[in-house]
Amino acid sequence: RMIDWTIYVLLGIVFIAIIAVICAFVWYRIVSPTEAHLVITPSKKMIISSDDSIATDKKKTYFAIPSSIPFFGRQIRIMDLNIKEIVLLQESYEKNQARFNVKSSTKFRISNVKRAAETYDDDEELKKQLEEVIVSSTNAIASDYDVVEMRSKKQEMSNAIQKEMDDDLKQW
């Protein structure tokens, strides 16, 4: 009888060990160089990335334990670090109130993962917020020039629009 009980205990231990090894393989994540993962544990927030300048703990891997597991679960938010582009066609006004169409191309990349995660929930919301900044910055600068100046001072305008956007975007 004692042997039967010992066998069941050993089988139970082996079963638990097998489950633990399987879970470790399933939950193990290696972060791609094009992503940063914001991992929220019950005790802290970590940014995991292949880029050491972004990662908070210089970690490139972690265990993605489901948030449904009490005390150990983690919430994970994947942030895309690729350079993206927004192309906008908008109507604007020049200094003398003449209307004209502006086609702008803006390239962007997330540089502060934690702040970005606090600012928007998904890529569509980010795109909408960026479009608003681009439109308002373009309109603010365009109203300082007339059409002739715009055509001759494209680089100056571009730099001014970029500076205007940088001031807004640094906040988030």
Side-chain angles (χ1 to χ4, degrees):
R1 288 243 128 123
M2 185 67 155
I3 294 174
D4 291 341
W5 183 79
T6 310
I7 290 174
Y8 289 126
V9 169
L10 287 174
L11 285 174
I13 292 171
V14 168
F15 179 74
I16 290 172
I18 289 171
I19 294 297
V21 168
I22 290 171
C23 287
F25 278 111
V26 170
W27 294 338
Y28 188 71
R29 299 285 186 272
I30 299 172
V31 179
S32 162
T34 62
E35 296 177 341
H37 294 205
L38 175 65
V39 180
I40 303 170
T41 69
S43 61
K44 66 178 180 174
K45 288 183 181 180
M46 302 177 286
I47 298 171
I48 314 294
S49 174
S50 296
D51 184 349
D52 287 341
S53 67
I54 295 173
T56 54
D57 296 336
K58 308 295 185 220
K59 293 182 180 180
K60 295 170 180 43
T61 63
Y62 67 98
F63 289 97
I65 302 169
S67 60
S68 59
I69 297 177
F71 306 112
F72 299 103
R74 298 170 172 201
Q75 294 178 352
I76 299 160
R77 176 136 181 235
I78 298 173
M79 308 293 284
D80 186 359
L81 298 179
N82 286 317
I83 296 172
K84 297 178 186 166
E85 180 178 30
I86 294 178
V87 178
L88 285 176
L89 183 60
Q90 73 183 69
E91 186 175 272
S92 191
Y93 294 90
E94 53 106 52
K95 178 167 50 175
N96 300 317
Q97 298 299 315
R99 286 189 289 181
F100 63 96
N101 289 325
V102 177
K103 182 176 182 179
S104 62
S105 169
T106 305
K107 293 185 173 140
F108 67 95
R109 177 181 184 261
I110 294 172
S111 60
N112 185 326
V113 174
K114 187 176 179 187
R115 189 177 300 160
E118 293 169 351
T119 305
Y120 70 92
D121 291 326
D122 57 31
D123 285 346
E124 283 303 313
E125 184 179 345
L126 171 64
K127 184 177 177 185
K128 184 179 176 188
Q129 290 179 12
L130 286 173
E131 286 175 357
E132 290 174 6
V133 171
I134 293 166
V135 167
S136 67
S137 298
T138 302
N139 287 340
I141 299 303
S143 65
D144 293 340
Y145 295 85
D146 64 32
V147 175
V148 175
E149 288 175 318
M150 285 183 198
R151 294 184 61 84
S152 64
K153 297 180 179 181
K154 286 182 183 178
Q155 188 60 47
E156 180 181 315
M157 282 187 65
S158 176
N159 293 339
I161 292 170
Q162 183 174 354
K163 184 181 181 324
E164 181 82 18
M165 286 192 309
D166 284 348
D167 293 343
D168 288 339
L169 297 178
K170 281 181 184 175
Q171 296 172 9
W172 44 277

